[in-house]
Amino acid sequence: MVARMRRFLLAICLHFCWLAPAWACVDRLQLDGDFIQGGLVHGLVEPANVRLYLDDVETVIHADGRFILGFDRDAPQQMKLQIVRSDRRECVRSLQVRKRAYDIQRIDGLPPKKVTPAAESLPRIQAEANAIKTARARVDARVDYRSGFRWPVRGPISGVYGSQRVLNGEPRRPHYGVDIAVPVGTPVAAPAPGIVTYVNPDMYFSGGTIVLDHGHGLSSSFLHLHEVQVEVGQTVDQGEVIATVGATGRVTGAHLDWRMNWRSAYIDPQLLVVPMVVKSE
Ligand SMILES: [Zn+2]
């Protein structure tokens, strides 16, 4: 009984001590957004000359004190936001991240080599994975994401973020994007301004692929493209056409797969746009 009581008091103290210093060490800390797996949060900290870490991943803070944080598909339900001041004083705040239930999506009829690649394809697959990881790891001071996000194409949603994939009966990596089923040749518009950081017209799994960086570690990737119409280093405006939809890579039909990352965390694009309204003919 005494031991239980002690554990209980310790739990309260830990919780309290966890929360209290965040307010003690900065003048202001404001967080708004989706505290959910796949969610993006906008923050404001004053003073702005502090360093901020989400579970040891450092965020960029703009001169005006604004920053963003993202939660991965499998983010733990409790994450740690650590603030380090210029005088090295530190404080920590615990963030509660809501857990999601993901669908299981079964897809059959894929070419067997796209489900279980032959050994000779593995070096290519690895090289492509590294290149895209490097592009998404970019973190710079641009704040293009502040424009907000628009759908890159409009049409029926045929795949959602996070679903567990079973391809030709075999469990595979989850699906991280939102799939919009539209015909080959449909123009793909930039959902927000950005700089093109990666282009590959023919990736093993994702076919024609573009990574568009929106600043502060937030990027969009567009997969299975037919025609890529931008180059690495090019800056684009919101709504500018960057590609056309295709059926390249591991697909069963034409669609756009739009993914978003904050650093290496996969963000759910559907949480950043208004719900899709598609006119039925
Ligand atoms: Zn997809």
Side-chain angles (χ1 to χ4, degrees):
M1 188 64 198
V2 173
R4 257 179 65 194
M5 195 56 143
R6 200 177 292 150
R7 266 206 307 277
F8 177 69
L9 288 173
L10 184 68
I12 288 182
C13 174
L14 280 176
H15 191 68
F16 179 74
C17 303
W18 201 242
L19 283 171
W23 304 103
C25 98
V26 284
D27 298 334
R28 186 174 177 198
L29 177 65
Q30 192 182 311
L31 298 168
D32 290 301
D34 292 303
F35 290 81
I36 188 171
Q37 290 173 332
L40 189 74
V41 163
H42 291 259
L44 174 66
V45 64
E46 285 172 4
N49 66 337
V50 295
R51 304 185 80 143
L52 239 162
Y53 302 83
L54 178 66
D55 272 9
D56 302 323
V57 176
E58 186 168 11
T59 72
V60 191
I61 303 172
H62 196 73
D64 62 8
R66 293 204 270 164
F67 62 91
I68 49 174
L69 304 172
F71 305 118
D72 191 50
R73 176 191 187 270
D74 300 307
Q77 282 166 270
Q78 184 160 292
M79 295 188 80
K80 184 179 75 172
L81 187 64
Q82 183 189 15
I83 299 170
V84 182
R85 301 195 334 173
S86 54
D87 63 6
R88 302 210 174 184
R89 231 176 92 193
E90 288 184 25
C91 50
V92 173
R93 183 171 170 189
S94 156
L95 304 180
Q96 304 300 319
V97 181
R98 257 184 309 141
K99 198 173 160 63
R100 290 170 69 164
Y102 299 109
D103 296 344
I104 295 178
Q105 187 179 24
R106 292 174 199 281
I107 301 172
D108 296 313
L110 287 163
K113 70 172 196 292
K114 293 283 176 179
V115 176
T116 306
E120 67 258 29
S121 299
L122 295 178
R124 174 187 164 191
I125 291 168
Q126 192 55 53
E128 290 179 354
N130 290 342
I132 213 143
K133 200 171 157 189
T134 303
R136 287 173 177 160
R138 177 185 167 124
V139 181
D140 64 39
R142 288 164 31 259
V143 289
D144 292 341
Y145 65 85
R146 288 188 186 174
S147 68
F149 288 83
R150 304 205 300 222
W151 285 99
V153 296
R154 294 188 167 275
I157 289 168
S158 56
V160 295
Y161 172 91
S163 51
Q164 193 59 57
R165 284 283 178 92
V166 182
L167 307 180
N168 293 357
E170 298 187 43
R172 285 294 180 269
R173 289 184 75 203
H175 188 246
Y176 290 106
V178 54
D179 287 338
I180 309 135
V182 283
V184 171
T186 305
V188 177
I195 182 165
V196 178
T197 55
Y198 183 74
V199 162
N200 188 330
D202 182 28
M203 294 183 81
Y204 189 86
F205 288 122
S206 59
T209 303
I210 294 175
V211 178
L212 184 62
D213 188 292
H214 306 295
H216 282 204
L218 190 66
S219 66
S220 285
S221 304
F222 308 93
L223 281 57
H224 313 304
L225 301 169
H226 176 61
E227 198 186 354
V228 171
Q229 298 174 348
V230 288
E231 290 171 8
V232 169
Q234 191 176 333
T235 55
V236 300
D237 291 330
Q238 187 174 44
E240 196 174 325
V241 174
I242 56 172
T244 55
V245 170
T248 55
R250 184 168 73 186
V251 293
T252 52
H255 71 279
L256 177 70
D257 184 333
W258 174 27
R259 306 188 170 193
M260 292 197 70
N261 285 80
W262 177 75
R263 319 292 297 270
S264 61
Y266 283 95
I267 302 303
D268 182 355
Q270 279 195 267
L271 295 175
L272 303 184
V273 285
V274 295
M276 178 83 83
V277 181
V278 184
K279 273 188 238 147
S280 55
E281 302 286 313

